[in-house]
Amino acid sequence: MSDMTIKILSGPERIRRRPAVIFGSEDITGVEYMLQSLLEIWLEEAKEGYIRNLTLTGYADGSVGLQDDGRGLWLGEDDTVWKHLFCEMSYIPRGISPPRRKIFEPPAPDYIDHDNFYIHAATCAAEYMDVHAIRDGISYKLHFEKGENIDGLSRDFTAKTSGTALRIKPDREVFTETVLSSSWLSERAQMLAVLVPGITAIFREETESGFLESSWCYPKGIVDFLQDIHTQCTATPVYTDALEAEGQERYDRPRYKAKLQFGLRFTAEPGFVRCYHNFRELTYGGRHLDIMLKEIVDSVHRHISRRLTKEDVLERLQLVVITEAGESEWMDCHGNQIGNTVLRDMASDLIRNDVGYFIKQNKTYLEALFYQG
């Protein structure tokens, strides 16, 4: 290959021609990753208390809407801010941690816009994106097609409410498949209420007869969620615990704060394991999850007389694990698995404290459950 055959992509083509570099895949998995990256930004705003209602909508044309009742995106007094947010890609220098600008706040003088990376990437990968932000009495509207802005930013000074509405349709020229299933969207909407306890998460699906709507609100987070999905089958009580700690990955790395919380129960219903880190769902979990699953399985083996495989235990286990950390040791480049030793040690300390006692307390039910299976 000679220098003459090398082509440097610029503008939206950097994303549109190589979507797997940003989203990990060119199929529906990449579309899911793109939407999840946007949801994380809104979840952080909700966690700080600015959003009480968050709506996810699946439209008939394959587009997805995200709407909140928060303070609205900060789009600035001129064209500088919104063009930087949607039309330019920020690169984060390796080893440097400048002030972070959240897109709902005015920028600091020396910030690097972490959230801009995925906002801009999503804009480029979309057939179209509509943005409507209402803030401080001003209504802002933007429209993009294939990464290019159409007609600039419009302003209306008569708005009386606040909030942000975003609608995005993934482009078939970028992804091989673009329509997210209603079950995937509904599950993501429900988990919003788990990840930020107290907010109301709403899912709307457009059908021929109108919109079908479901909503969830879990003030107690994981506990309420596990109790909510319980149907006619008997189950153990929900066991939950949480731990906060501070540590570092290596002696030469900065110290950071971390939090781990989990909830579990055993039931005759199908089991599942869901793991989240900094609002992102981890497809492959991480070292902390491996530790937790091993200890749970070992505890069952110690107290249940029947010989069980790991698969037998997981078939009846419903487990949700949520972690937060100031530093993330990603084990892959697309955020599907983490390897934080601080979280691993926290999981080891937390799960060994009382989970064995919980299983021992429910031994009679568990023996009946596993013998029945």
Side-chain angles (χ1 to χ4, degrees), residues 309-326:
T309 65
K310 178 181 179 181
E311 288 70 28
D312 292 331
V313 177
L314 295 183
E315 187 178 334
R316 301 303 183 193
L317 171 68
Q318 295 180 343
L319 172 67
V320 179
V321 182
I322 300 175
T323 59
E324 300 174 33

Side-chain angles (χ1 to χ4, degrees), residues 261-287:
Q261 58 178 317
F262 75 93
L264 65 84
R265 70 173 184 176
F266 292 91
T267 174
E269 298 172 337
F272 59 78
V273 176
R274 297 181 185 175
C275 187
Y276 298 85
H277 177 69
N278 288 352
F279 302 127
R280 176 176 294 276
E281 183 171 13
L282 302 177
T283 306
Y284 307 112
R287 293 174 181 170

Side-chain angles (χ1 to χ4, degrees), residues 66-353:
L66 182 61
Q67 184 174 359
D68 68 63
D69 60 352
R71 50 183 171 168
L73 285 178
W74 177 270
L75 296 178
E77 299 176 354
D78 53 33
D79 291 342
T80 304
V81 174
W82 73 263
K83 284 185 176 180
H84 171 73
L85 181 59
F86 292 98
C87 304
E88 302 172 9
M89 178 172 285
S90 287
Y91 291 95
I92 304 169
R94 189 175 182 84
I96 298 177
S97 298
R100 173 179 177 177
R101 179 227 169 186
K102 299 174 184 177
I103 63 174
F104 293 90
E105 299 176 353
D110 55 348
Y111 75 94
I112 282 185
D113 201 337
H114 292 226
D115 294 341
N116 152 271
F117 185 86
Y118 288 111
I119 290 283
H120 171 70
T123 305
C124 294
E127 180 180 330
Y128 70 81
M129 176 189 281
D130 289 316
V131 181
H132 183 198
I134 303 175
R135 182 168 180 139
D136 299 331
I138 304 176
S139 173
Y140 304 88
K141 291 184 179 180
L142 288 164
H143 178 71
F144 299 89
E145 296 179 5
K146 303 182 186 299
E148 300 290 349
N149 174 250
I150 308 297
D151 297 330
L153 176 69
S154 67
R155 294 181 177 86
D156 183 353
F157 295 90
T158 61
K160 296 182 180 180
T161 59
S162 64
T164 304
L166 182 148
R167 181 171 175 175
I168 181 172
K169 183 179 181 182
D171 198 341
R172 281 299 299 267
E173 294 179 4
V174 177
F175 301 101
T176 58
E177 187 179 355
T178 60
V179 181
L180 293 165
S181 68
S182 59
S183 60
W184 189 90
L185 289 170
S186 177
E187 181 180 304
R188 290 306 174 282
Q190 185 178 20
M191 292 310 296
L192 299 179
V194 181
L195 294 169
V196 185
I199 71 165
T200 298
I202 303 165
F203 171 61
R204 301 169 69 242
E205 179 184 6
E206 186 178 20
T207 66
E208 293 182 357
S209 57
F211 285 93
L212 302 177
E213 185 173 303
S214 302
S215 63
W216 303 269
C217 181
Y218 299 130
K220 297 180 181 179
I222 298 174
V223 174
D224 286 344
F225 166 68
L226 291 176
Q227 291 176 342
D228 182 43
I229 62 174
H230 175 57
T231 56
Q232 302 300 320
C233 298
T234 57
T236 65
V238 175
Y239 173 69
T240 184
D241 207 345
L243 180 66
E244 295 186 33
E246 184 175 312
Q248 59 190 139
E249 296 303 303
R250 299 194 310 261
Y251 74 92
D252 58 337
R253 298 284 297 277
R255 295 181 65 82
Y256 64 88
K257 294 181 179 180
K259 180 179 180 180
L260 185 152
Q261 58 178 317
F262 75 93
L264 65 84
R265 70 173 184 176
F266 292 91
T267 174
E269 298 172 337
F272 59 78
V273 176
R274 297 181 185 175
C275 187
Y276 298 85
H277 177 69
N278 288 352
F279 302 127
R280 176 176 294 276
E281 183 171 13
L282 302 177
T283 306
Y284 307 112
R287 293 174 181 170
H288 67 297
L289 181 62
D290 295 339
I291 288 286
M292 297 181 74
L293 291 176
K294 182 179 184 303
E295 183 60 31
I296 292 170
V297 172
D298 289 348
S299 295
V300 171
H301 286 164
R302 286 195 296 267
H303 295 93
I304 305 300
S305 56
R306 181 183 175 187
R307 178 172 294 181
L308 300 168
T309 65
K310 178 181 179 181
E311 288 70 28
D312 292 331
V313 177
L314 295 183
E315 187 178 334
R316 301 303 183 193
L317 171 68
Q318 295 180 343
L319 172 67
V320 179
V321 182
I322 300 175
T323 59
E324 300 174 33
E327 297 281 337
S328 299
E329 294 295 314
W330 300 108
M331 297 178 68
D332 71 329
C333 61
H334 296 294
N336 292 313
Q337 189 176 24
I338 59 171
N340 289 48
T341 57
V342 173
L343 290 173
R344 180 200 63 191
D345 294 341
M346 290 172 64
S348 179
D349 293 339
L350 189 60
I351 202 71
R352 289 175 182 171
N353 285 340

